[in-house]
């Protein structure tokens, strides 16, 4: 038995949800480039959960179901007020809150298809409220109830700020949600599938997935990218900052990928949005710095930017707090997690790989007084 470090190159399951072939990402056979330009996030959610695009009445029904399920139990809101609020990272709060709302769902342990589908809707609906309510409560503000006539992207921005978002902000945010929704067997999706393959419930699967997404090598990278841009501060500092990092063999957040070689197809959409939004906000420096970083890192290391690199300046331009970037990734990716959880349940087998043992061999127990 020889281990593949990081399971590189291992095909661990079959899936009909999304695929990455030759650096092209598709959801159920639809190219991400097509969806990014044309689809609403709700259509993508339906696509991932049903493996087909919705008809208009089906889309209207899903939107209604999401709107009807956005409220979260009061004890969850009260819970947020008990945290040492300035120290808690919103991803930790989100991980805890998803687990907590499971306690208030009477059907949490019901494994019927119908109950699991209802849980999918509840989770997708409530995660937007959790992230926005936590963000407001930690600033001493009251959470804002969703507006049932707004789409998912607009509602998120509305609940975050209490103001009706501009069309351009909704368009950009919707696109970001579409681009982050699913990504084959990425680390957090694999985590979700491993968890529910034991026939554990959906809340456990999503809670586990959030834990995996939180790390800086996965979803946590977008926050780190913004931290780096703030630290660099201006275009003229880019060159020395990045070269020093590369000389010290440090990783540059937002670059590299386990699967893509030529480039992450999602990055170009985010780059375009970053250019548009930073210009509109009079903060072109973040786009210009990002471009400069890209040219150095690709030139020196042949590493193209991934989804997290330009999403940082996009979210910053939408006035979103930097530590909410990764929770927003979760708000979108939960659609993919849920699709994979439902797929896992539909054709389940316990996921239990092997380890190549490299420890000492044939040891004999020595009584404690003789060690
Ligand atoms: C995404 C990532 C985790 C993939 O990891 P992986 O497939 O295990 O690749 P490795 O970490 O083994 O990297 C392979 C080589 O490329 C280098 N490399 C990979 N990503 C790099 C980065 N962002 N900056 C600088 N060097 C990088 C590694 O140092 C390593 O070099 P070496 O062979 O000389 O040691 C990795 O590219 C990374 O850490 N990127 C930064 C975090 C990030 O943006 N994550 C979001 C992913 S969507």
């Amino acid at each position: 038995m020889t281990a593949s470090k990081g399971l590189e190159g291992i095909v661990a399951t079959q899936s009909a949800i999304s695929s990455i072939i030759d650096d092209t990402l598709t959801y159920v056979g639809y190219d991400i480039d097509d969806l990014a330009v044309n689809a609403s996030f709700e259509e993508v959610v339906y696509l991932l959960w049903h493996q087909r695009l919705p008809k208009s009445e089906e889309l209207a029904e899903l939107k209604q179901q999401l709107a009807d399920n956005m409220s979260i139990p009061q004890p969850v809101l009260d819970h947020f007020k008990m945290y040492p609020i300035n120290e808690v990272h919103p991803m930790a709060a989100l991980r805890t809150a998803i687990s907590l709302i499971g306690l208030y769902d009477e059907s949490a342990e019901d494994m019927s298809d119908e109950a699991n589908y209802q849980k999918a809707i509840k989770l997708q609906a409530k995660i937007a409220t959790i992230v926005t309510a936590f963000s407001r409560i930690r600033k001493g503000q009251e959470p804002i109830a969703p507006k049932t006539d707004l789409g998912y992207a607009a509602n998120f921005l509305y609940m975050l700020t209490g103001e009706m978002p501009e069309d351009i902000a909704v368009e950009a945010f919707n696109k970001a949600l579409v681009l982050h929704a699913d990504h084959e067997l990425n680390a957090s999706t694999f985590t979700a599938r491993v968890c529910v393959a034991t026939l554990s419930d959906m809340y456990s699967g999503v809670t586990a997935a959030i834990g995996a997404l939180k790390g800086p090598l996965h979803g946590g990278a977008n926050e780190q990218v913004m931290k780096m841009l703030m630290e660099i501060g201006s275009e003229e500092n880019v060159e020395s900052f990045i070269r020093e990092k590369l000389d010290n063999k440090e990783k540059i957040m937002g670059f590299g990928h386990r699967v893509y070689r030529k480039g992450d197809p999602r990055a170009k959409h985010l780059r375009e949005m970053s250019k548009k939004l930073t210009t509109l906000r009079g903060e072109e420096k973040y786009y210009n710095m990002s471009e400069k970083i890209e040219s150095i890192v690709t030139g020196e290391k042949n590493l193209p930017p991934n989804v997290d690199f330009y999403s940082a300046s996009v979210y910053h331009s939408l006035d979103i707090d930097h530590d909410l970037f990764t929770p927003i990734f979760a708000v979108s990716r939960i659609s993919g997690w849920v699709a994979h959880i439902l797929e896992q349940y539909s054709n389940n087998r316990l996921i239990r790989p092997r380890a190549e043992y490299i420890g000492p061999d044939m040891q004999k127990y020595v009584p404690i007084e003789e060690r």
Side-chain angles (χ1 to χ4, degrees):
M1 287 198 298
T2 313
S4 164
K5 195 170 181 194
L7 298 184
E8 179 162 9
I10 303 292
V11 178
T13 192
Q14 292 185 318
S15 175
I17 300 169
S18 64
S19 90
I20 304 169
I21 297 171
D22 294 337
D23 286 8
T24 297
L25 170 63
T26 59
Y27 297 167
V28 198
Y30 293 92
D31 196 314
I32 190 69
D33 290 344
D34 194 3
L35 295 170
V37 175
N38 294 308
S40 69
F41 178 59
E42 291 94 323
E43 275 180 290
V44 167
V45 171
Y46 192 98
L47 174 66
L48 297 174
W49 292 359
H50 297 270
Q51 281 87 63
R52 66 177 175 82
L53 284 169
K55 295 181 195 307
S56 53
E57 61 278 13
E58 292 166 332
L59 182 60
E61 187 187 6
L62 176 64
K63 284 183 171 177
Q64 190 61 50
Q65 289 168 323
L66 291 173
D68 289 347
N69 281 281
M70 274 188 157
S71 68
I72 55 176
Q74 184 60 38
V76 177
L77 295 171
D78 295 341
H79 206 261
F80 287 156
K81 294 178 187 157
M82 288 158 38
Y83 298 159
I85 216 82
N86 292 320
E87 292 151 36
V88 171
H89 193 282
M91 272 305 268
L94 175 62
R95 185 194 57 218
T96 304
I98 290 290
S99 185
L100 191 56
I101 60 167
L103 303 186
Y104 294 89
D105 184 349
E106 286 171 3
S107 65
E109 306 295 335
D110 182 343
M111 296 297 272
S112 66
D113 290 349
E114 176 52 26
N116 278 330
Y117 189 71
Q118 291 306 321
K119 277 179 261 179
I121 291 167
K122 287 179 217 172
L123 279 159
Q124 183 68 63
K126 293 183 196 314
I127 194 169
T129 319
I130 291 171
V131 172
T132 53
F134 177 74
S135 165
R136 293 185 65 82
I137 287 172
R138 70 176 172 165
K139 292 176 181 170
Q141 300 166 328
E142 279 303 308
I144 298 207
K147 273 192 187 293
T148 46
D149 55 334
L150 290 182
Y152 195 91
N155 235 330
F156 182 93
L157 296 173
Y158 169 70
M159 288 194 286
L160 194 61
T161 62
E163 286 163 22
M164 286 301 280
E166 297 169 64
D167 289 348
I168 186 161
V170 177
E171 187 200 327
F173 197 67
N174 179 75
K175 200 177 275 194
L177 294 179
V178 168
L179 291 169
H180 286 83
D182 198 44
H183 206 217
E184 203 223 44
L185 211 54
N186 61 89
S188 55
T189 301
F190 185 54
T191 303
R193 290 189 79 129
V194 170
C195 179
V196 303
T198 66
L199 294 184
S200 188
D201 68 289
M202 195 179 284
Y203 289 98
S204 299
V206 171
T207 304
I210 292 171
L213 186 73
K214 183 170 176 283
L217 296 189
H218 190 8
N222 54 14
E223 182 185 347
Q224 298 306 318
V225 170
M226 201 61 223
K227 200 169 161 202
M228 172 175 74
L229 291 174
M230 304 296 284
E231 210 177 318
I232 298 174
S234 68
E235 270 179 75
E236 53 275 19
N237 295 339
V238 167
E239 183 95 26
S240 56
F241 184 96
I242 296 297
R243 290 208 187 277
E244 192 184 329
K245 283 227 177 261
L246 292 177
D247 289 348
N248 291 338
K249 306 241 169 288
E250 285 178 56
K251 282 188 167 173
I252 312 295
M253 291 292 127
F255 286 88
H257 202 273
R258 175 63 65 76
V259 184
Y260 296 120
R261 286 298 160 246
K262 289 193 289 282
D264 183 331
R266 302 164 297 177
K268 60 181 175 296
H269 297 282
L270 291 154
R271 183 194 292 113
E272 199 180 297
M273 271 196 287
S274 165
K275 186 169 189 180
K276 200 161 147 183
L277 290 171
T278 54
T279 309
L280 210 68
R281 302 282 184 250
E283 288 194 310
E284 299 95 323
K285 75 167 184 179
Y286 290 117
Y287 177 77
N288 296 339
M289 282 162 68
S290 304
E291 257 204 325
K292 208 161 172 181
I293 297 171
E294 180 181 344
S295 88
I296 299 172
V297 179
T298 6
E300 289 289 314
K301 301 280 291 184
N302 198 22
L303 287 170
N306 58 48
V307 70
D308 292 308
F309 189 60
Y310 285 98
S311 65
S313 44
V314 167
Y315 296 146
H316 172 80
S317 304
L318 296 177
D319 272 335
I320 293 172
D321 291 341
H322 300 167
D323 60 0
L324 292 185
F325 293 1
T326 313
I328 286 170
F329 194 152
V331 165
S332 167
R333 183 57 58 82
I334 197 170
S335 61
W337 293 333
V338 160
H340 282 265
I341 289 172
L342 294 173
E343 187 179 60
Q344 186 67 40
Y345 284 147
S346 71
N347 186 17
N348 189 54
R349 191 166 188 222
L350 180 78
I351 299 171
R352 201 291 188 198
R354 298 295 311 276
E356 177 189 355
Y357 179 68
I358 56 162
D361 213 0
M362 303 298 281
Q363 302 222 72
K364 275 250 174 278
Y365 181 82
V366 181
I368 195 159
E369 58 281 3
E370 292 172 29
R371 282 177 222 159

